[in-house]
Amino acid sequence: MKYEGMIFRPPSEAESLILQVTVGCSYNRCTFCGAYQGKAFRIKSFEEVKEDIDEVSSYKAIIPRVFLADGDALILPQEDMIRILSYLMARLKGLERVGIYANAKDILEKDVDALKELQKLRVGIIYLGLESGNRDVLKRIKKNATVEQLVSASRRVKEAGILLSVTVILGIGGVQYSQAHAEDTGKVLSEMDPDFVGALSLMVVPGTPIEKEIETGKIVLPTPFGMIEELERMIEHANFTRCFFASNHASNYLPLRVRMPEEREAALKRIREVLRRRDPALLRPEYYRAL
Ligand code: SF4
């Protein structure tokens, strides 16, 4: 497999074959994101992708899951997606699900029928970064999508019968927006009603614009307990039909895995107990945190 640069994938795709169909992120300007710094965006040619698929299929292994990298691989034109997915289905026996990162604009470029077409070709889950439901925070982090676009992109994914996994970031609004960020994110998550939510805690990546904003005091990060207060407030303001909410990413101080709505109250109880005791020993140590 010919990977270019560092490869990122969601934790839930740990067992998947990673197939790099694009390099970098077509946008690459979110202030907190250092994933594709210095990586010039390009779409790989079909011949390059085909070579990787041929190599993997020659091992004759059963590969049920594939994740298409990099950052916003759904930007691929529909005909390119169809060509790659059809080839994957033909060459990988036992292929059950293809996952992919997308941003709101990539999704909105495709209508429901186009997404349904991808779903028939095994695209089973789309990972979308919301980061915050607060409009000011979205502008400040240069998210390149409005709340309305993020919500309508989510609805389109769900209408196409594809699972939706949404990422939010605790602490991303700094102390200034902490409360509004948590409340608005909970509310917007309810509107998106995803199948999965992954809550991360902001980790400052060297060289990113947000690092400079923190250094100059423009943004002041919440304390670890401040981030857990955001988690509490977010869950208080969120209502899901059926969702698996996880804050067990390595960046978090308090790992949780919660089935919503059944375990919502139990999760809040646990969070409140941690906030009441304010004992740092209850939190994941700083040196264990990672992206
Ligand atoms: S967060 Fe996503 S959209 Fe923003 S720069 Fe990083 S990869 Fe690109």
Side-chain angles (χ1 to χ4, degrees), residues 52-186:
D52 281 347
I53 298 173
D54 287 342
E55 183 191 326
V56 172
S57 66
S58 71
Y59 305 148
K60 310 252 179 271
I62 301 286
I63 299 177
R65 290 193 176 183
V66 171
F67 180 74
L68 302 182
D70 276 344
D72 62 336
L74 197 74
I75 197 171
L76 278 182
Q78 185 73 355
E79 57 275 23
D80 293 4
M81 285 289 303
I82 290 170
R83 201 170 174 203
I84 291 170
L85 292 165
S86 304
Y87 196 67
L88 266 176
M89 282 176 68
R91 298 305 305 263
L92 297 190
K93 301 300 166 211
L95 178 65
E96 290 168 5
R97 187 180 94 173
V98 176
I100 190 166
Y101 280 136
N103 63 38
K105 290 195 173 153
D106 301 337
I107 295 168
L108 295 173
E109 275 292 311
K110 303 193 190 296
D111 59 20
V112 177
D113 288 340
L115 290 170
K116 278 186 181 164
E117 202 174 6
L118 301 184
Q119 190 268 344
K120 286 196 188 104
L121 293 169
R122 302 281 194 276
V123 172
I125 185 162
I126 289 181
Y127 298 88
L128 172 67
L130 165 65
E131 331 306 1
S132 176
N134 179 272
R135 292 168 200 280
D136 294 327
V137 174
L138 285 180
K139 271 190 217 144
R140 194 158 82 170
I141 64 172
K142 298 197 169 46
K143 186 60 201 163
N144 198 30
T146 62
V147 165
E148 289 72 19
Q149 286 171 322
L150 286 153
V151 171
S152 83
S154 306
R155 292 193 174 147
R156 203 170 287 186
V157 169
K158 295 195 68 179
E159 206 182 324
I162 298 174
L163 293 172
L164 177 67
S165 179
V166 174
T167 309
V168 298
I169 306 181
L170 303 172
I172 193 83
V175 289
Q176 187 189 353
Y177 288 100
S178 186
Q179 192 167 330
H181 161 61
E183 290 181 11
D184 292 345
T185 304

Side-chain angles (χ1 to χ4, degrees), residues 15-52:
E15 308 286 316
S16 306
L17 168 78
I18 311 293
L19 182 67
Q20 191 179 32
V21 297
T22 60
V23 177
C25 165
S26 67
Y27 176 60
N28 213 13
R29 288 200 291 281
C30 298
T31 63
F32 60 90
C33 177
Y36 305 107
Q37 274 176 350
K39 219 177 188 184
F41 176 76
R42 75 177 184 93
I43 293 176
K44 283 193 171 181
S45 68
F46 179 71
E47 285 63 38
E48 287 175 279
V49 177
K50 179 177 176 293
E51 228 175 87
D52 281 347

